[in-house]
Amino acid sequence: MDRLAMAGAQLIAFALPPRCPGCGVVTADDHHFCLACWSKLDFLGPPACAACAEPFEQDAGPEARCGACLADPPAYDAMAAAVAYGEIARRVALRLKYGGRPGLAETIARQLERHASGAADMLVAPVPLHRWRIWRRGYNQSALIARALVRRTGGTLALDLLERRKATPVLRGLGPAARVKAVRGAFILSPRWKELVKGRAVLLIDDVYTTGATANACAKALRRAGASQVRLLCWARVVRGRVDDVDFPDPR
């Protein structure tokens, strides 16, 4: 880097220093949380349900499933989330989704990378938005996360793998049965992927997992199209007993 370019980079760094994705205080590096916000993030991992990643209090083995998944197995093979849904996780999700902060997709992708084993051999696709929401918002936050993750892990980015063919109502406040009904038949495979998806494993990307209704609807569409495996990867997952009074976002 020549001296002029270096001086320019230093000027930008001085004027726009790295800031914590959670609270906005100045940090040492981009995409790094401050100590206060980092300590409030509840990172998820084993022991947990092999299907939906609901945390277990005790390790029941790598293939153990929670009661809900045993009673009604999800259409996807497995899911993982970087953190439990809470104050800081919610703030990051909303800033990306509504706050015009697309750079937070890279922040999230860095935390998802540890859960993305095998992504290099998979189709990596976002949960799609209906075109009306994309026009209003300007982008699909899950697509931004998927793109950032593929840059880090490899894989085949399939931004248009699924289409949302009907606008669904706001799911916030609906019970599990109503959510399932709302998204039934909402997703279809994009015609250009008809032959390419057969026999392929798919890594489906979303921002927040609540009841799994949307993920299930997407996974069913992919299974019907011939996908050999569907895994779900999310930034934050609602965990029973860990949400307190934090409001849910607007799950799609």
Side-chain angles (χ1 to χ4, degrees), residues 85 171 179 208-214 234 236-239 248-249 251-252:
Y85 186 74
L171 302 184
R179 288 173 182 246
V208 177
Y209 178 99
T210 50
T211 65
T214 298
C234 301
R237 185 205 194 287
V238 173
V239 176
F248 290 131
R252 290 163 295 112

Side-chain angles (χ1 to χ4, degrees), residues 125-247:
V127 169
L129 284 179
H130 190 267
R131 61 181 180 276
W132 290 111
R133 290 196 180 181
I134 292 178
W135 289 343
R136 286 198 302 268
R137 192 176 303 166
Y139 56 85
N140 177 357
Q141 73 280 357
S142 297
L144 296 181
I145 297 169
R147 187 184 296 277
L149 185 65
V150 166
R151 285 199 299 265
R152 304 185 66 83
T153 64
T156 301
L157 186 62
L159 293 179
D160 61 341
L161 182 63
L162 288 173
E163 297 177 0
R164 188 183 287 248
R165 64 178 177 180
K166 69 175 185 179
T168 53
V170 173
L171 302 184
R172 183 175 54 242
L174 298 181
R179 288 173 182 246
V180 170
K181 183 178 179 181
V183 297
R184 185 177 294 132
F187 304 99
I188 60 172
L189 187 79
S190 175
R192 84 179 192 90
W193 289 96
K194 182 177 180 181
E195 298 300 325
L196 299 174
V197 75
K198 292 179 179 178
R200 294 293 303 274
V202 177
L203 184 61
L204 192 62
I205 306 298
D206 206 359
D207 54 350
V208 177
Y209 178 99
T210 50
T211 65
T214 298
N216 261 310
C218 289
K220 286 177 181 178
L222 291 168
R223 287 295 198 184
R224 287 194 298 267
S228 61
Q229 181 190 60
V230 180
R231 285 168 47 196
L232 176 67
L233 193 54
C234 301
W235 157 238
R237 185 205 194 287
V238 173
V239 176
R240 288 189 293 271
R242 301 193 194 180
V243 176
D244 299 323
D245 60 350
V246 179
D247 292 334

Side-chain angles (χ1 to χ4, degrees), residues 24-135:
V25 303
V26 175
T27 55
D29 293 295
D30 288 322
H31 309 293
H32 283 210
F33 289 87
C34 70
L35 181 59
C37 289
W38 184 263
S39 65
K40 292 180 181 178
L41 288 170
D42 187 358
F43 291 93
L44 297 179
C49 172
C52 75
E54 177 76 23
F56 289 154
E57 291 186 3
Q58 297 181 343
D59 192 349
E63 300 303 318
R65 297 194 172 206
C66 67
C69 288
L70 287 172
D72 185 16
Y76 51 82
D77 294 276
M79 74 87 67
V83 296
Y85 186 74
E87 177 189 356
I88 303 303
R90 173 184 184 273
R91 195 177 298 165
V92 171
L94 293 182
R95 285 180 172 179
L96 171 60
K97 196 168 186 173
Y98 301 118
R101 298 283 301 279
L104 289 175
E106 173 66 23
T107 304
I108 290 173
R110 292 184 179 205
Q111 300 304 323
L112 293 182
E113 190 174 358
R114 66 189 173 97
H115 295 291
S117 61
D121 299 317
M122 304 177 76
L123 298 177
V124 182
V127 169
L129 284 179
H130 190 267
R131 61 181 180 276
W132 290 111
R133 290 196 180 181
I134 292 178
W135 289 343

